[in-house]
Amino acid sequence: MALIVQKYGGTSVGNPDRIKNVASRVAQHRAKGDQIVVVVSAMSGVTDGLIKLAKEIMPLPSEREMDMLLSTGEQTTIALTAMALHALNVPAASLTGAQAGIVTDGGHTKAKIANITPNEVHKLLNAGNVVIVAGFQGMTAEGQITTLGRGGSDLTAIALAAALKADLCQIYTDVDGVYTTDPRIVPNAKKLAEISYDEMLELASLGAKVMQSRSVEFAKKFGVVFEVRSSLNDNPGTLVKEETANMESVVIRGVALDKNQAKITLAHVPDKPGVAARIFKAIGEASINVDMIVQTASHGASGATDISFTTDKADLLKTRKVLEAIQGEVGFKEAIADEKIGKLSIVGVGMRSHTGVAAKMFETLAHAGINIDMISTSEIKISVVINLDKGEAAVKAVHAAFLG
Ligand code: ADP
Ligand code: ASP
Ligand code: MG
């Protein structure tokens, strides 16, 4: 008898028929004799809808109250999924993240899992139930409800699989695996049979929303091998696992586009030691993640520079508040935000041993008439910031050049 963790995302539980479909798939699997823990997301659109509601009340709501609000999305789905299993005469019980023993730190809206004590899950499984756990949520040791960041149900599934020492972790979604790029942008993108943790992590953190990046980080750390598959068919999916020797023979594994970044430019920043440290310390203390940072050369006699950086669009308002608070002390002239940017990236462990990759990417973009605004590279990725309107055209051109 195997213990399996299956996660079903928002589209897969998007309406009553889809929930019934999930229940019948789970029931069929259980009939083979396995124990099953099902992690579900909120029904598609629900989390976005709740965020919109909150913003109608006030632009920057308390993060504690946001967690209280957003956790209700998943709580709805667990109950409905348990009912759908009952309707098929399958014993099932739902648990919130807290009831499943998921303890987090106090970082509201992006909490980190501190530990999991899944006693209740074991108890219910041993009594013959399918256990349905609410994704995306946990509770602090002090009893505060938290959420794990957008897409966080993936993290719930992977962390539970590790804590339960599950035999298999399956992420069921609305595509049948991880592709060389988003198949909604490039219909001839190819499905990958397997991908290394590092490549999946880069693709996910660079915008491939098929997996939440923190969940991949967790899987790598605890060696949780998982597969990404479709909840609507039985096609073989993509296995995400440790890198193997032959993986480096492929130069580029995938292309990602992140449309959720914004660029902030601080104009006329005094060019003296300690200024960048002051700015990014304040931003870091507000739990705002910064990605690319570019500083221009000093403007001649004025001794001032411009500093640009990118961050999540969702953190823009918070970032503005932090910058307003330190503007006087730091002495920059103004903070200009640009939300119309896209970050295009290519990823592959093969880049370590192949040269000329950046040149080929930049040439491809030049031929397509797409201007590059910022560049950053690491051992296994190259990212560029471009105009958002050119984002999809850029993905198509770069995918055709490297993977087409
Ligand atoms: P879920 O609700 O199941 O968590 P998501 O919407 O979060 O699903 O993620 C699935 C979506 O990710 C797909 O519909 C697809 O458009 C998108 N996606 C982006 N990049 C990729 C990629 N490289 N491979 C597969 N899907 C991708
Ligand atoms: N419902 C949450 C979100 O939309 C978590 C998830 O879907 O994984 O971000
Ligand atoms: Mg998701």
Side-chain angles (χ1 to χ4, degrees):
M1 184 173 61
L3 171 56
I4 300 171
V5 175
Q6 298 187 334
K7 178 254 170 177
Y8 291 89
T11 320
S12 303
V13 292
N15 59 44
D17 284 337
R18 289 278 171 87
I19 292 176
K20 289 179 190 170
N21 168 60
V22 166
S24 80
R25 292 178 75 99
V26 171
Q28 274 169 31
H29 208 128
R30 182 177 177 272
K32 296 181 193 158
D34 292 334
Q35 288 187 317
I36 306 181
V37 175
V38 178
V39 173
V40 286
S41 292
M43 296 164 77
S44 59
V46 166
T47 308
D48 287 337
L50 291 169
I51 293 173
K52 194 160 162 275
L53 264 178
K55 300 245 150 112
E56 281 173 28
I57 303 285
M58 67 182 293
L60 204 56
S62 134
E63 292 181 336
R64 179 189 183 277
E65 302 310 328
M66 278 312 280
D67 280 352
M68 191 63 86
L69 179 69
L70 296 193
S71 61
T72 63
E74 273 69 13
Q75 201 168 327
T76 304
T77 324
I78 51 171
L80 294 174
T81 308
M83 290 171 195
L85 281 158
H86 295 165
L88 299 173
N89 292 317
V90 176
S94 63
L95 296 175
T96 63
Q99 288 176 316
I102 299 174
V103 179
T104 72
D105 67 11
H108 282 293
T109 76
K110 308 177 184 165
K112 294 196 175 68
I113 295 179
N115 58 73
I116 302 186
T117 318
N119 297 340
E120 197 57 29
V121 178
H122 281 302
K123 213 159 83 190
L124 287 166
L125 281 174
N126 292 338
N129 292 285
V130 171
V131 182
I132 325 283
V133 179
F136 178 55
Q137 54 172 262
M139 191 180 265
T140 65
E142 295 76 35
Q144 301 294 322
I145 293 177
T146 51
T147 64
L148 309 175
R150 294 306 306 265
S153 301
D154 294 333
L155 178 57
T156 306
I158 285 171
L160 263 181
L164 295 165
K165 298 189 174 60
D167 298 289
L168 187 60
C169 179
Q170 299 174 314
I171 307 291
Y172 285 93
T173 181
D174 56 4
V175 277
D176 58 5
V178 180
Y179 280 72
T180 47
T181 194
D182 189 340
R184 290 182 208 282
I185 301 178
V186 179
N188 73 343
K190 295 176 195 74
K191 185 165 61 179
L192 300 164
E194 55 179 32
I195 183 170
S196 69
Y197 288 127
D198 286 336
E199 288 168 324
M200 188 69 249
L201 183 56
E202 288 286 6
L203 283 175
S205 46
L206 295 167
K209 94 181 234 268
V210 61
M211 287 299 301
Q212 187 215 29
S213 62
R214 281 175 53 201
S215 72
V216 185
E217 214 175 317
F218 194 102
K220 182 184 174 189
K221 190 164 166 195
F222 293 96
V224 180
V225 174
F226 63 93
E227 51 179 22
V228 180
R229 321 181 49 130
S230 167
S231 64
L232 299 168
N233 60 48
D234 292 318
N235 296 345
T238 301
L239 207 58
V240 186
K241 56 179 204 167
E242 207 50 72
E243 184 177 331
T244 51
N246 63 351
M247 282 181 178
E248 272 206 27
S249 62
V250 176
V251 186
I252 301 301
R253 185 82 52 197
V255 179
L257 175 66
D258 190 343
K259 299 179 180 172
N260 290 315
Q261 295 270 302
K263 181 176 82 168
I264 294 144
T265 302
L266 302 179
H268 274 259
V269 185
D271 194 8
K272 56 182 193 210
V275 167
R278 181 70 196 96
I279 296 168
F280 292 104
K281 184 166 179 255
I283 289 173
E285 279 171 355
S287 299
I288 297 164
N289 289 323
V290 165
D291 182 32
M292 292 186 187
I293 303 176
V294 173
Q295 179 172 345
T296 58
S298 219
H299 305 296
S302 72
T305 65
D306 292 342
I307 297 181
S308 296
F309 60 93
T310 57
T311 187
D312 275 356
K313 260 183 204 152
D315 281 336
L316 198 53
L317 202 53
K318 207 163 128 186
T319 309
R320 274 191 179 286
K321 292 235 173 227
V322 171
L323 292 172
E324 269 164 30
I326 60 168
Q327 182 166 11
E329 181 194 338
V330 173
F332 59 87
K333 208 182 218 169
E334 57 177 336
I336 306 151
D338 181 359
E339 292 189 68
K340 296 215 63 179
I341 63 159
K343 187 169 65 181
L344 171 79
S345 308
I346 55 176
V347 171
V349 289
M351 261 189 239
R352 290 190 200 118
S353 48
H354 291 75
T355 55
V357 181
K360 182 170 170 181
M361 181 184 190
F362 302 158
E363 263 165 27
T364 304
L365 292 169
H367 279 141
I370 296 166
N371 193 41
I372 299 173
D373 190 14
M374 296 166 101
I375 300 173
S376 80
T377 64
S378 79
E379 213 187 7
I380 66 163
K381 70 127 209 254
I382 302 170
S383 300
V384 296
V385 168
I386 54 177
N387 186 308
L388 183 60
D389 295 336
K390 298 279 169 71
E392 299 203 350
V395 171
K396 288 186 179 120
V398 168
H399 187 271
F402 286 99
L403 295 155

